Amino acid sequence: MSTMRRETIPRAPAPESPTSADEQTLYEPSSDESDEYGTEEDDHDLLESEDERERLLTGSKGKGKAVAGLFNRKDGKETGTYSDEQKTKAKRRRNRAKRRGQSSEESTLMYEMEEGISLSSDSLVSSSDGDEKRLEGMNIQSKTQKRRVWRRVLIYLSVIGLFLILLFAAYRVSKSRHTASAATLVSNGTSLFAPTTILISLDGFRADFLYRGLTPTLNKFIEEGISPKYMLPSFPSVTFPNHYTMATGLYPEAHGVVGNTFWDPDIQKEFYYTDPTRSLQASWWGGEPLWQTAERQNVRVAVHMWPGSEVHNPDIQPAYVDKYNGSEVLSRKVERIMSWLDLPGPEDMGFNMDQPRPQLIAAYVPNVDGDGHKYGPNSTEIRQTIKDADTMLGGILEGLQMRNLTDIVNVVVVSDHGMATTDTSRLIQLEDLVDPTEIEHIDGWPHYGLRPKKASDVERLHKQIIDKTQNMTNVEVYLRDKDMPERYHFSQNERIAPLWIIPKAGWAIVDKSSGNVEEMKKKGEVYHPRGVHGYDHEHPLMRAIFVARGPAFPHKPNSRVEPFQNIHLYNIICDSISVSPAPNNGTLRLPLKPVGLHTDSNTPANETPSDPPLSSSTPLPSPSASTSASPTQSTPAAATQSGEAHHMSWWQALAHKAQHMEEWVDQFLKTHMPGAKGKDKGEAEGEENGKEESG
């Protein structure tokens, strides 16, 4: 009889004394689990004593009813059955294992081994099926968790990738902008300059002033740059509307400054150009001027006395604004412009945000207009004023050359209108055309915009004036809303009076408070001002100038373009400093398109227009007086003044002859005795302060 070998199963460590934190977590159920399944201590009640353990292993009977042994051997095989209580406990352990995240088969077997559960073939099959299901579930759960992890990883990587792409794109854009900006910077040897333009306006500088042999600097500037034979002003050809048209690219009817003086029926106020309390209110000025366009795009601007620049805009202001000073000497203007160019730029050492170097400098020069009004455009005095303006330009160009900026800074020289000589014989009495007591407001000058006290009287007064001027060739009469010439672009604004009397060039309308025309003629009184503008903007005497040179004008020297109107200047200046213009009436853009050179054989001859005849009964000047002349041949003063001699006293005629002789002597000395300086009657007055301001 073979001796049955007793197998000894190692005692599992008691759950009450876990050896590690992990084991403690493994064996300690939650309160919910304890309530549902019982505690670990309950699970081990059958193992409380060695005898009980032995009984379970051998299948021996104890105090109670017999219990089948778990590991009894029969024919070398282990036999046994689960008790209901054991099955329940095993199921609880498996459930707890799942709830606690146990995923290995070893954990389940360990619990079964602790209880000494026999592994019969049936139970093994059942256990295997359960294990397979558990493993399948665990695999699914593992795959789901992995998918979640990978999904999170992909989301994080996508976010990081997108961030890097945006960061790289921003870097490229920033780099490209910096590169583009750097590409436009040009060094003069000591500093870097962004696109920079100096815009000079010579108020009242008539186009044919260039042909009088008085402007060597301007004539050389034309030879080096690009220009038309003339530039047309806008109607009405007076200072404030035209300077603001050049600054905005808008017709006066569009920007709202329709004259030097006018009435606004909406606000019941009058605009008067020399009265800052009435003219510097922002509500008068529409459109967007150059200084606002540039500053809005972070291009700094300096404005020296340009009409309209002193209007305060709380949102956008130029970096520098100089108030109007009609007595400022021209040399001071040169110093002011050069001082701005000498400031450090953003890329230079010592740059100061509070004192930036401007890229646009717009300067206004009133001298030629002032002396043109005072003495007339063909006077001896105006000759010196023209020379002074030319000398001032020479100072600017010399300053640029000294700073090695000739090929770096653009220079554009313009004027706003021309000038016509007036005379007492070319006066029209207002009272001969209309009763002033019927008129509430008179706008403009020398053109007259009439606002009747009663709006219903407009048609009647229009017919009355037409009847009284039907035999006169020296005035035009228009209704704003009916027959105002379209080329004037002077009807689409309520600030434009409904009824207009527009004299021809050289003529003027006066009321009796200013003078009795018949009495003035009888007494031989001289009418002042001696020069007037404001007429038809296409008349030859109203022609202005445009000359440009610099990197924004890469044309052959002495290039010629077709004449254009000053509404196009705004776009040209914007393009020269690389800013985008606001909407405007101009269409011309850089680069300009030359039609040839000024020296070409098909270039129109220099034209020096003559003044109108002294009166309607005076014969027209001889053809020789009005034909074109070269700069060395033009003597417009002599031609025009000879016509006036018929109405002068012998003393006046002698005085004029003396002036002409002086001019001849001066020219003779300069031609035949280099270095000699003739005595010009106007030289002593050229630098005097307090020049008369006029529109």
Side-chain angles (χ1 to χ4, degrees):
M1 177 177 167
S2 60
T3 305
M4 180 178 289
R5 187 178 60 184
R6 179 177 176 180
E7 294 185 7
T8 304
I9 298 177
R11 182 186 298 271
E16 292 83 2
S17 302
T19 58
S20 67
D22 292 338
E23 291 176 50
Q24 184 177 4
T25 303
L26 180 64
Y27 282 105
E28 292 181 359
S30 64
S31 59
D32 295 336
E33 291 170 348
S34 298
D35 293 339
E36 182 180 359
Y37 304 113
T39 63
E40 287 289 336
E41 295 174 353
D42 295 334
D43 293 340
H44 293 279
D45 285 341
L46 295 177
L47 302 179
E48 288 180 352
S49 66
E50 184 65 27
D51 294 335
E52 183 69 13
R53 184 172 182 274
E54 183 68 20
R55 184 184 62 79
L56 290 172
L57 292 174
T58 58
S60 59
K61 296 181 180 180
K63 297 180 189 178
K65 60 182 179 180
V67 179
L70 296 178
F71 294 100
N72 295 336
R73 287 184 177 273
K74 183 177 182 182
D75 298 331
K77 295 182 180 180
E78 296 177 351
T79 62
T81 59
Y82 291 107
S83 67
D84 292 338
E85 184 179 2
Q86 290 169 336
K87 290 179 181 180
T88 301
K89 289 182 180 179
K91 182 177 180 180
R92 289 175 181 172
R93 292 189 192 98
R94 286 194 295 269
N95 289 338
R96 282 201 305 275
K98 290 179 182 179
R99 291 168 66 91
R100 292 169 183 161
Q102 292 179 332
S103 58
S104 64
E105 182 178 69
E106 289 77 9
S107 298
T108 305
L109 292 176
M110 182 180 69
Y111 282 105
E112 293 176 346
M113 290 292 289
E114 285 183 10
E115 298 301 329
I117 299 175
S118 172
L119 303 176
S120 65
S121 59
D122 294 336
S123 65
L124 289 174
V125 172
S126 175
S127 176
S128 176
D129 291 341
D131 290 342
E132 288 179 359
K133 291 180 180 179
R134 286 197 300 274
L135 289 174
E136 183 179 356
M138 291 176 186
N139 288 335
I140 293 173
Q141 184 180 8
S142 177
K143 291 179 180 179
T144 302
Q145 289 177 347
K146 288 181 180 179
R147 282 197 298 269
R148 290 176 180 172
V149 171
W150 279 109
R151 186 164 57 247
R152 290 191 186 121
V153 170
L154 290 175
I155 291 173
Y156 294 151
L157 290 177
S158 299
V159 172
I160 294 172
L162 180 61
F163 174 76
L164 293 176
I165 291 172
L166 293 175
L167 186 64
F168 179 73
Y171 169 76
R172 289 293 300 271
V173 170
S174 174
K175 184 177 180 182
S176 63
R177 286 181 179 175
H178 179 75
T179 303
S181 175
T184 60
L185 297 177
V186 182
S187 175
N188 68 336
T190 59
S191 184
L192 290 173
F193 280 78
T196 304
T197 296
I198 300 174
L199 174 63
I200 307 293
S201 172
L202 305 177
D203 193 345
F205 196 101
R206 204 167 78 187
D208 66 282
F209 287 177
L210 296 170
Y211 313 142
R212 298 187 177 187
L214 306 173
T215 54
T217 302
L218 265 169
N219 291 121
K220 183 179 179 182
F221 192 60
I222 291 172
E223 293 174 359
E224 296 172 346
I226 183 170
S227 62
K229 295 295 291 185
Y230 56 85
M231 181 174 71
L232 289 174
S234 294
F235 185 86
S237 52
V238 291
T239 297
F240 269 55
N242 274 272
H243 272 88
Y244 205 58
T245 287
M246 290 191 288
T248 62
L250 298 171
Y251 292 113
E253 68 175 2
H255 60 60
V257 183
V258 297
N260 284 342
T261 61
F262 57 89
W263 176 262
D264 190 319
D266 292 333
I267 62 176
Q268 293 291 297
K269 290 183 179 180
E270 183 182 35
F271 177 94
Y272 198 83
Y273 69 117
T274 58
D275 184 358
T277 62
R278 287 188 277 178
S279 64
L280 295 184
Q281 306 303 314
S283 58
W284 293 113
W285 308 80
E288 183 178 270
L290 280 166
W291 46 89
Q292 290 184 11
T293 300
E295 290 283 353
R296 182 169 50 81
Q297 300 176 51
N298 298 318
V299 173
R300 308 317 304 271
V301 181
V303 189
H304 180 75
M305 304 186 192
W306 194 281
S309 61
E310 295 179 52
V311 176
H312 180 70
N313 185 311
D315 299 324
I316 305 175
Q317 279 290 99
Y320 309 93
V321 179
D322 289 345
K323 293 184 177 181
Y324 178 78
N325 177 11
S327 62
E328 183 180 64
V329 296
L330 296 183
S331 59
R332 172 62 185 140
K333 295 182 182 294
V334 176
E335 294 171 1
R336 183 62 167 158
I337 293 171
M338 292 299 110
S339 69
W340 282 323
L341 291 177
D342 290 337
L343 292 170
E347 306 293 332
D348 302 329
M349 293 292 293
F351 172 70
N352 186 350
M353 286 290 293
D354 296 329
Q355 292 183 320
R357 182 175 65 218
Q359 287 180 239
L360 173 61
I361 300 173
Y364 170 71
V365 183
N367 301 53
V368 176
D369 181 75
D371 281 0
H373 285 295
K374 187 175 182 179
Y375 304 109
N378 295 323
S379 64
T380 300
E381 291 83 357
I382 199 65
R383 290 171 59 84
Q384 184 60 44
T385 311
I386 294 171
K387 292 179 183 178
D388 293 340
D390 189 73
T391 301
M392 183 210 69
L393 178 62
I396 293 174
L397 299 180
E398 183 179 355
L400 293 177
Q401 185 175 12
M402 291 174 59
R403 292 162 175 79
N404 195 28
L405 294 174
T406 299
D407 298 325
I408 295 176
V409 174
N410 303 299
V411 179
V412 180
V413 181
V414 298
S415 62
D416 55 346
H417 52 70
M419 186 81 67
T421 302
T422 60
D423 188 83
T424 306
S425 66
R426 292 194 290 269
L427 298 179
I428 302 170
Q429 195 77 58
L430 176 64
E431 287 79 0
D432 293 342
L433 304 178
V434 65
D435 182 359
T437 60
E438 294 189 82
I439 306 301
E440 186 174 22
H441 295 285
I442 297 177
D443 296 348
W445 184 86
H447 47 278
Y448 271 46
L450 306 180
R451 293 183 180 272
K453 292 180 179 179
K454 297 179 181 180
S456 58
D457 291 341
V458 171
E459 292 286 349
R460 178 180 60 83
L461 293 176
H462 174 253
K463 184 178 184 305
Q464 172 185 313
I465 297 172
I466 288 290
D467 291 341
K468 291 186 177 183
T469 59
Q470 61 181 345
N471 295 324
M472 300 173 63
T473 59
N474 47 20
V475 292
E476 299 173 347
V477 182
Y478 299 113
L479 284 174
R480 180 195 65 195
D481 299 331
K482 184 177 180 180
D483 56 358
M484 182 70 71
E486 185 177 350
R487 62 188 179 87
Y488 283 177
H489 293 277
F490 197 65
S491 62
Q492 303 300 316
N493 198 307
E494 289 299 317
R495 292 177 179 176
I496 301 172
L499 176 59
W500 285 85
I501 306 174
I502 302 175
K504 295 295 183 67
W507 288 77
I509 302 173
V510 297
D511 57 28
K512 289 188 176 178
S513 64
S514 302
N516 187 308
V517 174
E518 292 301 323
E519 291 294 328
M520 292 175 67
K521 289 179 178 179
K522 290 178 181 179
K523 295 178 180 179
E525 295 180 5
V526 176
Y527 174 70
H528 292 279
R530 299 304 307 273
V532 176
H533 51 87
Y535 308 107
D536 185 339
H537 67 292
E538 294 183 355
H539 193 280
L541 291 173
M542 296 297 103
R543 290 173 179 171
I545 64 170
F546 171 95
V547 190
R549 187 195 72 184
F553 306 94
H555 310 92
K556 290 183 178 180
N558 211 25
S559 289
R560 178 175 63 88
V561 294
E562 291 291 350
F564 55 85
Q565 194 169 346
N566 61 6
I567 57 170
H568 301 290
L569 180 68
Y570 171 77
N571 284 340
I572 292 173
I573 300 301
C574 285
D575 288 346
S576 74
I577 56 175
S578 301
V579 300
S580 299
N584 64 93
N585 296 126
T587 58
L588 196 61
R589 304 298 296 267
L590 292 184
L592 298 177
K593 296 177 175 56
V595 294
L597 303 178
H598 284 285
T599 54
D600 291 344
S601 58
N602 61 345
T603 299
N606 296 336
E607 182 181 357
T608 302
S610 61
D611 286 321
L614 296 179
S615 68
S616 57
S617 59
T618 304
L620 292 174
S622 60
S624 61
S626 59
T627 54
S628 302
S630 64
T632 56
Q633 296 173 331
S634 64
T635 56
T640 4
Q641 301 296 344
S642 63
E644 297 179 1
H646 296 289
H647 297 271
M648 296 179 181
S649 65
W650 66 272
W651 175 255
Q652 291 173 320
L654 182 61
H656 276 281
K657 291 292 185 182
Q659 289 179 2
H660 301 156
M661 183 61 69
E662 258 185 349
E663 293 173 10
W664 181 85
V665 171
D666 181 56
Q667 187 65 35
F668 178 84
L669 291 175
K670 288 182 179 180
T671 304
H672 299 281
M673 299 179 64
K677 184 177 182 181
K679 184 178 180 181
D680 194 329
K681 183 178 180 180
E683 288 178 359
E685 301 174 344
E687 295 295 330
E688 70 175 358
N689 294 336
K691 301 283 175 111
E692 180 183 357
E693 179 192 0
S694 178

